[in-house]
Amino acid sequence: MALRKAICSVLAIAALATATAQEANLRITEVDPSTGVVEVTNFGPAFTQTLTLPFCYRFTYPTAFAAGTSWTANEVKTATVSGLDPADSDLWLYLPGGFADGNNIIHGLKWGPQSAVGRMGAAAAATPPRWPGTTTHLPAPGAGRTLAWNGDADGGAFDTSSWYVDATPSLGTADAPTTVGGVATPLAWENTVENFEGLALGDSVVGLQGWPLVNPNENFFVRSVNDVRGSTAAPPFSSTKWLRISDNDPTNSNRFYSNAIAAPGIPATYTWRFRLNIEELPPTGGSAWPRFTVQHDDTSGFANAWGIEIRDSGAWLVVTGIGGTAAAVPFYSYTSGQAVGDWVLLDLVADFQNGVVRALLNGGGEVTLPINLAPSADRSLFRLCYRGEGANNTAVFALDDVQFLGTLPSASITGWMLYQ
């Protein structure tokens, strides 16, 4: 009898541990602070709760899902949490066992700028942390918008990198995919700006016509947002949204492209100008670095020519691939006044007349490298590309105001045929 009781006790403990592990697969995937509707998704196998799971916000403890609730794999459920502050609140889904212990937090988030709200301290003290700290927050989304979870885009940490403001809520169902090519892009020869204002908040970059996204996954996404990680300051230019490139997939060469620019002839020069905010730097000691690179159409498709490489200590102008002799030169040091969270203006200028490519930071500090575009490359068809490069690198960027400027050679230029 004693042995039977011991066996039953062990089996009960094992069953409880299995249930707890399954309940730990639940994630808050969308929140409407204005209405209190909270969406939770099961990212594990089907199971039936043996535990009652409460929410916690601002030291208030409403029940979320009672014991006996059944979940199918990938099932989405909603609950209504009354009393949420749309402007500022924390919200955590808990396992039972004590709210002061952040290790009981399954998933959660904090929006609005107030510090040390509710259980932020417990979340930050958990192992691993369920939130980065007591001052870290998401933007309050505003009426008619939600905070949505993109997936585990932060490599396993519970922080702000995975969340975005969604202007097209889908509470109770999986987030609807962005309509591919649904928004016209103005980028064309010869003086045009893509400011991403045509995208709704939360839309993927593929919503722009001719802007493909390669290898999208839960650790790599490019979405329209209106906040900057680590900064509450408004951007120093007129804009209401921009792209967040969240690339936390260190194994693949994740990338996306602008639409291709077709020049009416062989350019004398062209410039790709864009605003960049480095929200999370690549890790120190990487073997390859993220790049914003220009590609020209070559015999086997578009190929890399030259670009701006974002390293752990600064940005470098690089020549690669079909652009000529490989070379790199630094032009933007993070210790010289610019830092993570600051917007900077970058220029990448291809000057075929003089056979060089130039990089400028905020209109100055120019550096140059020689170029010699491969004879097989089309000089009149090119595009801008973000390349994550893999190789153990991760990074997060905000990108805005991608501008293209181009000039054709003047008839007075002699010797132009030397560059064709």
Side-chain angles (χ1 to χ4, degrees):
M1 180 65 72
L3 179 60
R4 181 180 298 174
K5 287 184 176 179
I7 293 173
C8 290
S9 177
V10 169
L11 292 176
I13 292 172
L16 178 60
T18 299
T20 301
Q22 290 174 327
E23 285 154 344
N25 290 323
L26 300 178
R27 293 290 181 266
I28 298 173
T29 46
E30 196 164 4
V31 180
D32 186 342
S34 297
T35 64
V37 176
V38 181
E39 175 189 280
V40 175
T41 303
N42 175 30
F43 286 88
F47 75 102
T48 299
Q49 288 178 216
T50 61
L51 308 172
T52 294
L53 306 180
F55 281 124
C56 174
Y57 72 94
R58 287 185 172 271
F59 302 114
T60 302
Y61 311 103
T63 297
F65 302 103
T69 300
S70 294
W71 296 81
T72 60
N74 302 312
E75 184 173 2
V76 178
K77 296 181 185 289
T78 59
T80 299
V81 180
S82 60
L84 288 178
D85 183 348
D88 199 293
S89 186
D90 61 336
L91 180 67
W92 316 100
L93 180 64
Y94 267 82
L95 293 168
F99 294 100
D101 185 355
N103 293 308
N104 293 322
I105 294 175
I106 300 173
H107 199 215
L109 67 162
K110 165 63 171 66
W111 64 87
Q114 293 185 37
S115 300
V117 169
R119 297 294 185 182
M120 291 182 73
T127 305
R130 305 314 198 251
W131 199 248
T134 58
T135 61
T136 303
H137 63 274
L138 296 162
R145 298 173 176 174
T146 58
L147 288 166
W149 193 60
N150 191 82
D152 196 13
D154 40 21
F158 292 85
D159 62 26
T160 59
S161 295
S162 296
W163 295 90
Y164 61 94
V165 175
D166 194 351
T168 54
S170 58
L171 290 154
T173 60
D175 194 21
T178 301
T179 301
V180 176
V183 178
T185 183
L187 280 186
W189 184 271
E190 62 191 312
N191 187 359
T192 50
V193 182
E194 174 57 79
N195 57 17
F196 309 111
E197 295 297 312
L199 293 173
L201 286 174
D203 277 1
S204 170
V205 67
V206 300
L208 294 173
Q209 292 177 12
W211 287 63
L213 181 66
V214 178
N215 194 41
N217 59 72
E218 64 179 7
N219 289 313
F220 174 59
F221 61 88
V222 184
R223 290 188 181 276
S224 171
V225 300
N226 64 351
D227 65 298
V228 173
R229 300 291 183 246
S231 175
T232 58
F237 52 93
S238 177
S239 189
T240 64
K241 57 178 78 83
W242 38 87
L243 290 185
R244 170 163 296 122
I245 306 165
S246 186
D247 188 357
N248 281 282
D249 179 357
T251 59
N252 296 295
S253 181
N254 302 312
R255 53 202 183 275
F256 74 92
Y257 312 103
S258 76
N259 60 295
I261 299 293
I266 297 176
T269 66
Y270 64 68
T271 299
W272 288 93
R273 175 177 295 162
F274 53 92
R275 298 184 187 274
L276 189 70
N277 190 305
I278 304 172
E279 299 183 294
E280 294 180 17
L281 281 172
T284 299
S287 55
W289 306 99
R291 290 174 175 170
F292 294 86
T293 187
V294 174
Q295 300 179 327
H296 278 254
D297 193 17
D298 198 21
T299 52
S300 58
F302 283 95
N304 303 321
W306 36 74
I308 293 173
E309 186 172 81
I310 307 299
R311 301 189 181 185
D312 58 346
S313 60
W316 292 54
L317 172 65
V318 296
V319 173
T320 60
I322 61 172
T325 302
V329 60
F331 73 99
Y332 169 13
S333 171
Y334 306 142
T335 61
S336 62
Q338 286 77 35
V340 174
D342 290 336
W343 285 100
V344 294
L345 183 67
L346 300 176
D347 282 289
L348 182 65
V349 184
D351 181 347
F352 291 110
Q353 181 178 342
N354 293 294
V356 297
V357 62
R358 303 185 177 96
L360 297 90
L361 171 68
N362 294 327
E366 178 180 302
V367 297
T368 65
L369 286 173
I371 57 174
N372 184 19
L373 193 64
S376 58
D378 188 331
R379 293 172 180 267
S380 302
L381 187 62
F382 38 83
R383 65 189 181 187
L384 184 67
C385 169
Y386 166 79
R387 293 182 60 89
E389 300 299 348
N392 300 316
N393 281 307
T394 59
V396 181
F397 305 102
L399 175 71
D400 202 6
D401 288 357
V402 176
Q403 184 173 5
F404 177 80
L405 306 97
T407 60
L408 294 176
S410 168
S412 63
I413 295 177
T414 60
W416 176 247
M417 290 301 292
L418 294 175
Y419 297 97
Q420 297 187 36

